[in-house]
């Protein structure tokens, strides 16, 4: 029997429509869960969304592990990211062919949230604090994942996490306050390129709320994401997020109402209850029965779902990717690519000439990270591990120590001992020894010397049987709370419980701090002293420090500090004092700060994957120039950052675009082993609407090297606060000594637009601009001025949406209704919003849409929120949460154009709009 949906010669929309018509309503509903039910009567197989592929295939067994995403981004090489994405998709496909149910082809990568704040626990998953660079690199990685065939997807990439998601702290209940300019200039641009190009074909909303509304219910799913997409766009929920709409977020009273709202907003696939779909599907059925959904709503979601499956070639007789086998997994080509990616990701932060190393016979490799590689939550299982020690040992003689303190711990009832078989810790007469790993932020891990295994908690009992901190719920870390007379109490971080002793002497967790054992640690071997003694015997010391990806912030946990762990910092200082030829190598998923000063050379990379050690050796020994550049600002302290939940980067002076301080290392920073000069910057605006610029870059140093030539602009006059600098383009060039090259920038004038809150659109203003070229956001070697003939934004008239204000104080962004629309709510008496340049000529009255559960009043003032002339006072009626009322009042006689303050005289008042035209 001819089935048109299986005929690849028929246009795709017709194939989707043919299969959809054959489905019963119940069969359609069965497709709305992550685990889509098979439809045996039509030969339609089961399908599952969601395979993790952030920097290699994850969670399914050994596979090639590439550097973390933030490390890949530091290469500033979109083509390299495309190749890594391509290799990852090959391995996904190989696993899929081997086990179709275990490895789905809808991959949940890349992460495109701009890295606004380095304290975010998932910082290592993103690419950059710059939205343009994030979008560029994300699109490149997504192109690699989707494959080169124009019609058939190799995998179906999914962008994460829409929208304004940079905090793990209370992530399911916090609302990100996102003003319109931040939304349109910062958050949305990171998502747009991959979707608009068709590189990414799916999106996952985030756990948080945005302006008071859960991201899974955002109108922007349809208004922005699907408006950009050239084809059907699949929207999948994050794990268990649909249930949060009723439970944690309390946004709806019933799951049927919540799920109906989600489907109407654009959600197609519910990732809820793992593979247990029945409850979710039951809620959808109930929504249909209650009239909360129409079958047309189901049909739209099914079309999006089936579109992806058709484009993956599921219903074709063959695809271009059928021959991919498991031989591709961790193949030599992918190993070489992992090594290349790791090598090109290293960023040289400091160098007084020590690097590259020359005439070195013996290297002391020191540090907790010196002979280990870390897996993060979204990395694959390492098929092998080339550590810093191993990589350098292949090139020169090495000596090694971890540089950690070795201690005994004694209580009144005896000494802590470890079971040689890995069993329970107990109190006894013979002291056991433990190595103390300081991961910073007050988190410590203890390794029993007797077994070489780490202390963990199993059913409340302390055992020593783990290879290190691991798992979704890390059970191998403790805090040390000081007690009198040099004692400490161990507090288990995961549970918050203390370490006490049972009647039989075994150490176990107790709830009450008063029951905690007082343990007196005695250092039997100082890690810093041992490291210094070893460093003194070597030609060069390489101290490898950094974070643990499962301890120093991760999914569900932000970090409170950027500081390197104190014990690791102390080791660096001790080694430097013993051997001035010291290199500090940092391996971390976020910017760090440290106390050691005067270190001759500092080299950073993210956790670099299986080939890290080989790559490190090549850079340290000068086989390769350090090509990496920072994609985030490295601050001097977390004290320079705004509140973690402050998403308004413009008002908060956040990110390299607005930061007014002097960072430790700026965005774009990275040294090499040679020097470059810049000259001859020219810029013009041609009649076709292009800014065309060029600059000559010359290698003025003694050896070949790589430079990342960066172009920034600054608008010098504007109606609104403009970025101090904004990345507009870059080019990587490799130059021989004395070689010069002209590097060009072609920038459409429309890219210079800012979001105009007075008209609700992007506007290019008539203004002078400054073009800057150089090595980083602050190391700008040459500048040139150019003029743009754009618009002059006129004064406001008529309708003023509350969210479209110019400045504010003590207000929260909230939803005007459950379904759509934004408003502002006063957080305190005297809160205000400011509308600049409001034309009040001819306005005799105004209409305000507002409300409050307690009632109240707002005052309109000219020029100043406290002392400005009041022109109207509006009573605020008592209303329900979504029941705002329209109130009309007359205005005091006023003419001209004025700055208008709307002052909230009471906390809790919500305002959605003021209209000076509707009521006159």
């Amino acid at each position: 029997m001819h089935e048109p949906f299986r005929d690849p010669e028929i246009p795709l929309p017709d194939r989707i429509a043919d299969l959809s018509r054959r489905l019963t309503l119940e069969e359609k509903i069965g497709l709305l869960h992550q685990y889509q039910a098979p439809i045996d009567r039509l030969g339609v197989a089961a399908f599952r969304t969601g395979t993790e592929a952030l920097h290699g295939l994850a969670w399914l067994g050994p596979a090639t592990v590439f550097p973390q995403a933030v490390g890949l981004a530091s290469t500033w090489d979109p083509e390299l990211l495309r190749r890594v994405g391509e290799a990852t998709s090959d391995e996904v496909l190989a696993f899929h062919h081997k086990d179709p149910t275990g490895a789905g082809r809808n991959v949940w990568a890349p992460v495109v949230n701009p890295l606004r704040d380095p304290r975010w626990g998932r910082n290592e998953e993103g690419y950059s604090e710059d939205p343009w660079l994030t979008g560029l690199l994300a699109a490149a990685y997504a192109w690699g994942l989707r494959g080169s065939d124009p019609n058939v997807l190799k995998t179906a990439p999914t962008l994460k996490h829409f929208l304004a998601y940079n905090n793990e702290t209370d992530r399911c209940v916090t609302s990100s306050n996102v003003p319109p300019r931040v939304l349109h200039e910062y958050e949305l641009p990171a998502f747009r390129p991959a979707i608009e190009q068709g590189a990414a074909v799916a999106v996952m909303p985030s756990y948080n709320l945005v302006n008071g509304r859960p991201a899974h219910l955002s109108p922007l799913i349809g208004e922005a994401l699907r408006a950009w997409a050239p084809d059907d766009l699949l929207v999948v929920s994050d794990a268990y997020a649909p249930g949060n709409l009723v439970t944690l977020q309390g946004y709806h009273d019933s799951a049927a109402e919540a799920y109906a709202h989600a489907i109407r907003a654009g959600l197609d696939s519910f990732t809820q209850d793992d593979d247990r779909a029945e409850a979710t599907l039951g809620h959808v059925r109930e929504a249909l029965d209650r009239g909360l959904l129409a079958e047309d709503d189901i049909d739209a979601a099914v079309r999006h779902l089936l579109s992806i499956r058709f484009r993956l070639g599921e219903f074709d007789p063959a695809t271009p990717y059928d021959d991919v086998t498991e031989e591709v997994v961790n193949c030599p080509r992918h190993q070489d690519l992992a090594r290349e990616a790791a090598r090109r990701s290293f960023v040289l932060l400091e160098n007084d000439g020590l690097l590259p190393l020359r005439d070195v016979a013996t290297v002391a490799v020191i540090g907790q990270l010196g002979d280990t590689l870390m897996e993060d939550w979204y990395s694959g299982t390492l098929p092998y591990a080339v550590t810093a020690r191993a990589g350098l040992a292949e090139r020169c003689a090495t000596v090694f120590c971890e540089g950690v303190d070795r201690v005994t711990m004694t209580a009144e009832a005896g000494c802590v001992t470890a079971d040689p078989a890995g069993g329970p810790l107990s109190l006894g007469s013979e002291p056991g020894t433990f190595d103390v790993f300081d991961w910073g932020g007050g988190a410590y891990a203890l390794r029993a010397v007797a077994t070489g295994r780490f202390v963990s908690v199993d059913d409340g009992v302390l055992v020593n049987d783990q290879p290190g901190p691991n798992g979704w719920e890390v059970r191998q870390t403790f805090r040390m709370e000081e007690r009198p007379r040099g004692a400490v109490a161990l507090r288990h971080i995961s549970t918050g419980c203390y370490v006490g002793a049972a009647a039989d002497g075994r150490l176990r967790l107790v709830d009450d701090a008063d029951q905690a054992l007082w343990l007196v640690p005695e250092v039997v071997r100082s890690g810093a002293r041992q490291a210094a003694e070893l460093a003194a015997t070597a030609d060069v010391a390489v101290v490898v420090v950094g974070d643990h990806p499962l301890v120093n912030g991760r999914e569900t946990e932000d970090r409170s500090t950027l500081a390197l762990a104190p014990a690791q910092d102390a080791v660096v200082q001790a080694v430097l004092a013993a051997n001035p030829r010291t290199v500090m190598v940092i391996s971390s998923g976020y910017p760090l700060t440290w106390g050691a000063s005067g270190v001759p050379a500092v080299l950073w990379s993210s956790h670099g994957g299986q080939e890290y050690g080989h790559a490190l050796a090549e850079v340290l020994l000068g086989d390769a120039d350090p090509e990496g550049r920072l994609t985030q600002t490295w601050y001097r302290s977390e004290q320079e950052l705004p509140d973690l939940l402050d998403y308004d980067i413009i008002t908060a002076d956040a990110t390299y675009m607005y930061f007014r301080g002097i960072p430790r290392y700026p965005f774009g920073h990275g040294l090499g082993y040679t020097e470059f000069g810049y000259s001859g910057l020219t810029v013009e605006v041609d009649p076709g609407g292009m800014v065309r610029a060029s600059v000559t870059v010359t290698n003025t140093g003694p050896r070949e090297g790589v430079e990342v030539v960066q172009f920034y602009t600054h608008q010098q006059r504007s109606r609104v606060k403009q970025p101090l600098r904004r990345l507009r383009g870059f080019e990587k060039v490799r130059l021989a000594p004395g070689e010069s090259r002209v590097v060009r920038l072609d920038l459409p004038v429309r890219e210079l637009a800012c979001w105009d809150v007075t008209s609700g659109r992007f506007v290019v203003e008539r203004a002078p601009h400054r073009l800057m070229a150089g090595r980083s956001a602050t190391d700008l070697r040459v500048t040139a001025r150019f003029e743009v003939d754009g618009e002059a934004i006129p004064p406001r008239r008529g309708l003023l949406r509350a969210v479209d204000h110019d400045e504010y104080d003590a207000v929260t962004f909230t939803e005007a209704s459950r379904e759509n629309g934004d408003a502002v709510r006063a957080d305190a008496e005297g809160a205000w919003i400011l509308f600049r340049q409001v034309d009040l000529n001819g306005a005799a009255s105004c209409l305000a849409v507002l409300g409050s559960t307690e009632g109240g009043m707002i005052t309109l003032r000219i020029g100043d929120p406290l002392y400005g002339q009041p022109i109207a006072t509006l009573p605020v009626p008592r209303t329900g949460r979504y029941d705002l009322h329209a109130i009309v009042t007359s205005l005091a006689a006023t003419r001209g154009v004025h700055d208008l303050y709307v002052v909230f005289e009471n906390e809790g008042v919500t305002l959605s709009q003021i209209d000076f035209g509707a009521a006159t």
Side-chain angles (χ1 to χ4, degrees):
M1 180 179 67
H2 177 63
E3 294 177 311
F5 73 86
R6 295 191 183 277
D7 185 351
E9 300 301 319
I10 294 176
L12 178 61
D14 295 340
R15 297 177 70 191
I16 297 170
D18 177 69
L19 179 53
S20 296
R21 281 192 298 267
R22 296 168 185 265
L23 301 177
T24 66
L25 178 57
E26 185 60 28
E27 288 167 340
K28 293 175 186 176
I29 293 171
L31 299 177
L32 302 185
H33 192 267
Q34 178 187 20
Y35 287 82
Q36 297 176 27
I39 305 169
D40 295 331
R41 68 182 184 85
L42 296 175
V44 176
F47 184 88
R48 180 178 65 82
T49 63
T51 294
E52 301 295 348
L54 184 60
H55 54 108
L57 174 65
W59 298 5
L60 297 177
T64 308
V65 178
F66 297 95
Q68 292 175 306
V70 72
L72 293 173
S74 70
T75 67
W76 290 58
D77 189 337
E79 174 57 19
L80 176 63
L81 267 76
R82 187 202 64 77
R83 289 192 286 134
V84 172
E86 183 178 53
T88 299
S89 67
D90 284 342
E91 300 199 7
V92 170
L93 208 58
F95 272 78
H96 175 76
H97 288 159
K98 182 180 179 182
D99 179 11
T101 60
R105 292 169 64 195
N106 167 234
V107 293
W108 288 355
V111 170
V112 295
N113 301 103
L115 302 181
R116 173 186 59 87
D117 193 313
R119 293 169 298 184
W120 183 32
R122 303 179 75 170
N123 190 86
E124 75 278 358
E125 296 181 33
Y127 291 126
S128 173
E129 69 185 282
D130 181 84
W132 176 80
L133 184 58
T134 293
L136 178 75
L137 298 176
Y141 189 72
W143 275 115
L145 290 173
R146 84 177 299 281
S148 57
D149 189 278
N151 300 313
V152 181
L153 301 172
K154 187 189 293 184
T155 66
T158 303
L159 301 187
K160 304 194 299 186
H161 310 82
F162 188 78
L163 174 75
Y165 170 49
N166 293 116
N167 64 278
E168 299 304 296
T169 304
D170 298 328
R171 62 179 180 174
C172 295
V173 295
T174 55
S175 179
S176 304
N177 282 351
V178 182
R181 282 194 63 203
V182 176
L183 173 68
H184 291 281
E185 296 178 21
Y186 191 70
E187 294 290 346
L188 291 179
F191 287 83
R192 185 166 187 164
I195 295 174
E196 197 166 54
Q197 296 170 26
V201 297
V203 172
M204 175 188 289
S206 48
Y207 283 114
N208 55 292
L209 299 89
V210 179
N211 293 353
R213 184 179 293 109
H216 280 70
L217 307 180
S218 174
L220 292 168
I221 292 172
E223 294 171 4
L225 299 180
R226 288 203 162 109
W228 301 333
D231 300 296
D232 284 318
L233 185 76
L234 173 65
V235 178
V236 302
S237 84
D238 209 335
Y240 285 81
N244 293 342
L245 297 171
V246 178
T247 55
L248 294 176
Q249 294 168 347
Y251 203 75
H252 282 284
D253 294 332
S254 71
E257 293 170 303
Y259 287 23
H261 188 172
I263 291 172
R264 293 195 309 270
L267 185 66
D268 306 310
S269 178
F270 289 79
T271 312
Q272 183 72 35
D273 301 329
D274 299 320
D275 60 353
R276 304 179 301 277
E278 188 52 38
T280 293
L281 304 185
H283 299 319
V284 175
R285 294 186 196 101
E286 181 185 346
L288 282 164
D289 292 341
R290 293 171 54 184
L292 303 172
L293 281 176
E295 188 168 352
D296 286 348
D297 298 317
I298 303 295
D299 288 343
V302 168
R303 186 182 75 248
H304 302 144
L305 290 156
L306 290 180
S307 175
I308 298 303
R309 295 178 65 169
F310 272 98
R311 289 153 65 192
L312 285 166
E314 179 179 342
F315 303 108
D316 295 350
T319 79
Y321 310 112
D322 290 344
D323 295 333
V324 177
T325 70
E326 59 184 316
E327 293 180 359
V328 77
V329 178
N330 192 38
C331 65
R333 181 168 59 88
H334 290 180
Q335 293 174 9
D336 291 344
L337 181 60
R339 185 168 182 166
E340 178 189 355
R343 179 178 66 248
R344 297 177 64 188
S345 72
F346 277 100
V347 181
L348 184 59
L349 300 176
E350 302 268 7
N351 188 25
D352 71 353
L354 177 59
L355 295 181
L357 299 176
R358 307 173 187 86
D359 303 321
V360 172
T362 303
V363 174
V365 181
I366 295 165
Q368 297 180 189
L369 288 154
D371 197 28
T372 188
L373 294 185
M374 299 294 183
E375 296 175 1
D376 63 52
W377 183 246
Y378 287 104
S379 74
T381 302
L382 289 162
Y384 61 85
V386 183
T387 66
R389 178 188 186 184
L392 284 164
E394 293 180 14
R395 305 290 301 275
C396 56
T398 60
V399 289
F400 172 74
C401 76
E402 290 173 307
V404 297
D405 287 346
R406 181 164 290 178
V407 303
T408 61
M409 294 180 289
T410 305
E412 283 189 5
C415 304
V416 178
T417 63
D419 178 5
L425 273 61
S426 59
L427 297 177
S429 58
E430 294 296 325
T433 50
F434 298 85
D435 293 330
V436 181
F437 290 76
D438 182 1
W439 291 116
Y444 297 89
L446 303 171
R447 185 180 62 196
V449 175
T451 61
R453 309 291 281 181
F454 281 79
V455 175
S456 185
V457 174
D458 184 7
D459 196 24
V461 176
L462 272 65
V463 295
N464 64 117
D465 64 352
Q466 294 296 306
N470 65 86
W472 176 255
E473 186 177 339
V474 176
R475 293 180 168 272
Q476 297 81 36
T477 53
F478 301 84
R479 300 198 189 283
M480 296 185 183
E481 296 186 358
E482 293 184 0
R483 295 293 187 265
R485 299 185 297 279
V488 298
L490 293 180
R491 190 169 192 180
H492 190 229
I493 292 177
S494 176
T495 61
C497 296
Y498 289 87
V499 174
D504 60 3
R506 291 191 305 171
L507 270 57
R508 62 176 302 109
L509 297 183
V510 295
D511 294 327
D512 191 345
D514 292 338
Q515 296 179 310
L517 278 175
W518 286 19
L519 298 168
V520 178
E522 180 179 349
V523 177
V524 297
R525 189 192 66 197
S526 164
R529 184 179 302 114
Q530 181 194 26
E533 292 171 353
L534 190 72
T537 68
D539 299 313
V540 171
V542 174
V543 187
V544 189
V545 299
D547 75 312
H548 193 300
L550 299 180
V551 176
N552 300 91
R554 45 160 287 174
E555 184 171 1
T556 73
E557 297 176 19
D558 295 312
R559 58 187 66 87
S560 60
T561 179
L562 303 178
L564 180 66
Q568 295 189 53
D569 207 336
V571 166
V572 175
Q573 297 182 59
V575 168
L576 180 61
N579 188 336
R581 288 170 55 83
T582 292
V583 181
M584 181 165 71
V585 175
I586 304 170
S587 184
S588 71
Y590 60 94
L592 287 170
T593 64
W594 57 90
S597 61
V599 182
V602 182
L603 190 67
W604 171 82
S605 79
S606 72
H607 294 280
Q610 62 200 52
E611 284 286 338
Y612 170 83
H614 286 147
L616 175 64
E618 289 170 346
V619 172
L620 289 176
L621 297 172
D623 300 346
D625 206 45
E627 293 186 29
R629 301 294 185 268
L630 297 179
T631 62
Q632 276 184 282
T633 302
W634 283 47
Y635 298 93
R636 296 179 181 275
S637 166
E638 61 271 6
Q639 301 302 317
E640 295 180 319
L641 293 164
D643 188 277
L644 179 66
L645 298 180
D646 189 346
Y647 280 76
D648 186 352
I649 65 166
I650 299 174
T651 299
D653 290 336
T655 77
Y656 83 94
M657 291 187 286
Y658 295 96
F659 182 60
R660 296 180 181 276
I662 300 174
R664 185 160 195 162
Y665 303 111
F667 174 87
H669 173 72
L671 306 176
Y673 292 154
T674 188
E675 296 293 330
F676 294 90
Y678 287 69
S679 62
L681 177 65
T682 64
V683 60
E684 64 175 6
V685 181
D686 70 18
M690 293 290 291
V691 179
R692 301 192 186 277
S694 65
V695 66
T696 300
V697 181
T698 303
N699 183 343
T700 59
R703 58 175 279 167
E704 181 180 87
V706 173
E707 176 71 324
V708 180
V709 182
Q710 301 165 42
F711 291 97
Y712 298 83
T713 65
H714 169 61
Q715 184 172 328
Q716 295 179 298
R717 184 177 65 245
S718 176
R719 181 188 176 279
V720 296
K721 180 179 179 179
Q722 289 286 343
L724 300 172
R725 80 284 290 174
R726 186 165 188 172
L727 181 69
R728 297 298 186 181
F730 68 90
E731 184 176 334
K732 292 189 78 166
V733 295
R734 182 179 295 275
L735 300 177
E739 182 182 1
S740 295
R741 186 173 303 171
V742 175
V743 178
R744 304 184 187 279
L745 171 72
D746 292 326
L747 178 70
V749 169
R750 66 177 180 273
E751 296 296 324
L752 298 172
C754 61
W755 185 260
D756 175 30
V757 293
T758 74
S759 61
R761 61 188 176 90
F762 276 104
V763 170
V764 176
E765 293 182 284
R766 184 184 306 121
H769 293 252
R770 189 157 56 104
L771 176 70
M772 302 160 280
R775 307 197 70 182
S776 75
T778 61
D779 186 3
L780 298 165
R781 304 297 180 88
V782 287
T783 67
R785 191 174 183 272
F786 64 98
E787 294 276 347
V788 170
D789 186 16
E791 299 182 42
I793 298 173
R796 298 175 185 251
R797 296 181 61 88
L799 177 66
L800 307 179
R801 290 198 321 149
V803 293
D804 287 332
H805 54 258
D806 292 294
E807 295 181 28
Y808 62 94
D809 182 61
V811 299
T812 292
F813 294 79
T814 188
E815 70 275 44
S817 72
R818 282 191 201 272
E819 301 279 341
N820 52 57
D822 292 333
V824 299
R825 185 180 65 245
D827 289 337
E829 294 182 5
W832 52 260
I833 54 177
L834 165 65
F835 297 95
R836 293 198 180 281
Q837 294 186 304
V838 179
D839 186 350
L840 294 174
N841 286 306
S845 61
C846 71
L847 179 151
V849 179
L850 71 179
S852 170
T853 57
E854 300 297 327
M857 186 175 295
I858 66 171
T859 303
L860 307 186
R861 292 181 179 271
I862 290 175
D864 186 90
L866 292 177
Y867 307 110
Q869 173 193 348
I871 62 171
T873 299
L874 292 95
V876 179
R878 292 176 180 267
T879 65
R881 179 177 177 184
Y882 302 112
D883 186 26
L884 303 183
H885 289 188
I887 302 294
V888 178
T889 191
S890 59
L891 300 177
T894 308
R895 290 185 177 183
V897 176
H898 301 274
D899 289 349
L900 177 69
Y901 285 86
V902 179
V903 182
F904 299 82
E905 307 295 353
N906 306 88
E907 180 182 356
V909 173
T910 297
L911 174 71
S912 68
Q913 66 184 53
I914 296 178
D915 194 342
F916 292 98
T920 57

